[in-house]
Amino acid sequence: MPSPDQIRAAVLRYLAAVAGGSASEIAACYAPDATVEDPAGSEPHRGRAAIAQFYSPLEAAARETKLLTLRIAGGAAVFHFLVRTKLPDQTVDVEPIDLMTFDSRGLITSMRAFWSESDVRVT
Amino acid sequence: MPSPDQIRAAVLRYLAAVAGGSASEIAACYAPDATVEDPAGSEPHRGRAAIAQFYSPLEAAARETKLLTLRIAGGAAVFHFLVRTKLPDQTVDVEPIDLMTFDSRGLITSMRAFWSESDVRVT
């Protein structure tokens, strides 16, 4: 089981990749056979290729992320954060709470993102 | 699957019970065969009798709860909240993030509480 420090570092690496990385750099935060369920309840994306595909629309936009609250227990992280996506004519803010599990190297093995349409702010 | 409104009501009912209810009133927010894993990674308490036993120490203290952030997706709730326990000579604040699933009646079928010692404030 990864240590709390490893998990914290893995969450910060992920948020930095979502803010400034390519889709494949974001996918590299995940273990090869990881799953991404975003939003929770939707069909999971499985494996790095599918995960990179899922994140690829982000590449067209300027992005910011900000960690708001992080809790670590039982080898998992749950964290509330802001993702701001800046498009030419609008800014889209979402503040999900994500649940992530990790392998012993600190790679994400599963992610479930809890948010819904009512949590999206467009300005 | 319970509706988002049912889930929101169930979370508020739980937080009200933790603030002002007996251990058995808190346990009544759970389905008969529910599990409670608090903190996440610990051995789960299973069934209402074990769950009431788990909450029974709360009965000796004055308590407050405050919902900070709630996200609902895929029939589950994830929420960040404050539990303040007022003892004669000190106040203990914990702000966990809980993950809960529900049955079709809005009873909690599982709870996992994400927090660690470093998230506890004693004043």
Side-chain angles (χ1 to χ4, degrees), chain B residues 13-24:
Chain B
R13 179 184 173 213
Y14 170 76
L15 292 178
V18 170
S22 66
S24 62

Side-chain angles (χ1 to χ4, degrees), chain B residues 1-68:
Chain B
M1 194 162 85
S3 70
D5 283 349
Q6 264 184 302
I7 290 177
R8 177 180 299 271
V11 168
L12 294 176
R13 179 184 173 213
Y14 170 76
L15 292 178
V18 170
S22 66
S24 62
E25 285 166 338
I26 302 171
C29 297
Y30 286 88
D33 56 349
T35 54
V36 169
E37 190 182 327
D38 186 353
S42 62
E43 187 64 31
H45 306 277
R46 189 175 301 271
R48 272 197 190 139
I51 290 171
Q53 180 70 24
F54 168 71
Y55 284 102
S56 61
L58 279 184
E59 292 186 340
R63 298 152 268 152
E64 290 173 18
T65 55
K66 185 180 175 187
L67 181 61
L68 302 173

Side-chain angles (χ1 to χ4, degrees), chain B residues 29-109:
Chain B
C29 297
Y30 286 88
D33 56 349
T35 54
V36 169
E37 190 182 327
D38 186 353
S42 62
E43 187 64 31
H45 306 277
R46 189 175 301 271
R48 272 197 190 139
I51 290 171
Q53 180 70 24
F54 168 71
Y55 284 102
S56 61
L58 279 184
E59 292 186 340
R63 298 152 268 152
E64 290 173 18
T65 55
K66 185 180 175 187
L67 181 61
L68 302 173
T69 308
L70 168 64
R71 294 290 177 266
I72 296 170
V78 187
F79 56 103
H80 181 210
F81 66 108
L82 165 71
V83 185
R84 174 165 292 167
T85 309
K86 291 186 245 181
L87 302 169
D89 54 348
Q90 60 184 20
T91 299
V92 180
D93 283 355
V94 191
E95 291 185 359
I97 298 179
D98 277 16
L99 168 63
M100 285 182 173
T101 57
F102 303 87
D103 68 14
S104 59
R105 296 167 297 175
L107 294 174
I108 306 160
T109 50

